[in-house]
Amino acid sequence: MIGPARAQSGAPVEGKDYLRLSAPLPAPATGKVDVIEFFWYGCPHCNTFEPMLEAWAKKLPDYVNFRRVPVAFRDEPYVAHQRIYYALEEMKLVETMHRKVFAAIHVDHQRLDKPADIAAFMSKNGVDGAKFLESYNGFSVQTKARQASQLAQAYKLDGVPAMGVQGKFFTSATLTGSHERTLAVVDYLIQRERGGKA
């Protein structure tokens, strides 16, 4: 983390508050500014960031396409957690279950890395465990998990939580010094992209 000596105000500076990707990625053809939060359910910093991020995301204007991308720095338990997220997304349960998965891992100290444990957790929370595992093991969820790993590699991630903007820029609390500053930098980059500045 950056120390408190860093000024928390003023326009973000490229190379300090955010980095430009050396090889820009194609942004989705939505006509909107693409913003990605890279996270891992097992990351305590992601768990701390989540309430702040959720409140921020609810206020985003309609010209922003916000999405979460779970990362896998190695196979387990990362891939299991990627598949939990994408199965929740497929079943349209992210809004009701996303924070509960974080709480299960960080408050209740469940690992949620084995299908039987995941199904039991889902059932306890009113989700059909068998249906969930069907989605969790399905082709589309496995494909999305692979694509998420490729995207994280393209952004050259070495930690989470991290934010990507329009396939061009990357920032995180490691660069900015705080989660609040990270979101301020993302707001700045969104406006910069919307204004057409490269």
Side-chain angles (χ1 to χ4, degrees), residues 10-83:
V13 177
E14 186 174 325
K16 288 185 179 178
D17 296 302
Y18 65 93
L19 303 176
R20 183 186 292 266
L21 271 64
S22 54
L25 309 172
T30 60
K32 298 182 176 191
V33 179
D34 190 54
V35 176
I36 301 169
E37 182 226 4
F38 293 99
F39 77 97
W40 169 46
Y41 278 127
C43 165
H45 304 293
C46 297
N47 181 50
T48 301
F49 186 39
E50 183 56 34
M52 196 182 308
L53 178 77
E54 194 174 89
W56 173 84
K58 283 179 179 163
K59 296 177 189 163
L60 285 172
D62 61 4
Y63 55 79
V64 175
N65 176 48
F66 172 70
R67 56 197 175 114
R68 291 178 170 95
V69 173
V71 300
F73 292 113
R74 61 179 181 271
D75 284 349
E76 292 307 330
Y78 294 92
V79 172
H81 291 177
Q82 279 184 308
R83 287 165 63 185

Side-chain angles (χ1 to χ4, degrees), residues 1-9 176-178:
M1 280 301 216
I2 308 298
R6 156 88 43 91
Q8 291 295 303
S9 59
T176 66
S178 72

Side-chain angles (χ1 to χ4, degrees), residues 64-108:
V64 175
N65 176 48
F66 172 70
R67 56 197 175 114
R68 291 178 170 95
V69 173
V71 300
F73 292 113
R74 61 179 181 271
D75 284 349
E76 292 307 330
Y78 294 92
V79 172
H81 291 177
Q82 279 184 308
R83 287 165 63 185
I84 288 171
Y85 178 78
Y86 285 122
L88 288 174
E89 188 179 74
E90 188 169 86
M91 295 176 75
K92 300 188 178 7
L93 293 170
V94 169
E95 200 170 310
T96 56
M97 293 298 297
H98 187 60
R99 293 277 291 275
K100 290 180 182 179
V101 175
F102 272 120
I105 293 168
H106 297 280
V107 178
D108 302 332

Side-chain angles (χ1 to χ4, degrees), residues 157-179:
L157 291 188
D158 59 2
V160 288
M163 305 285 288
V165 179
Q166 202 67 357
K168 295 180 187 176
F169 305 108
F170 164 86
T171 189
S172 69
T174 303
L175 291 170
T176 66
S178 72
H179 294 311

Side-chain angles (χ1 to χ4, degrees), residues 9-14 17-18 181 184-186 188-189 192:
S9 59
V13 177
E14 186 174 325
D17 296 302
Y18 65 93
R181 178 73 173 157
V185 170
V186 173
Y188 166 83
L189 292 170
R192 179 179 166 154

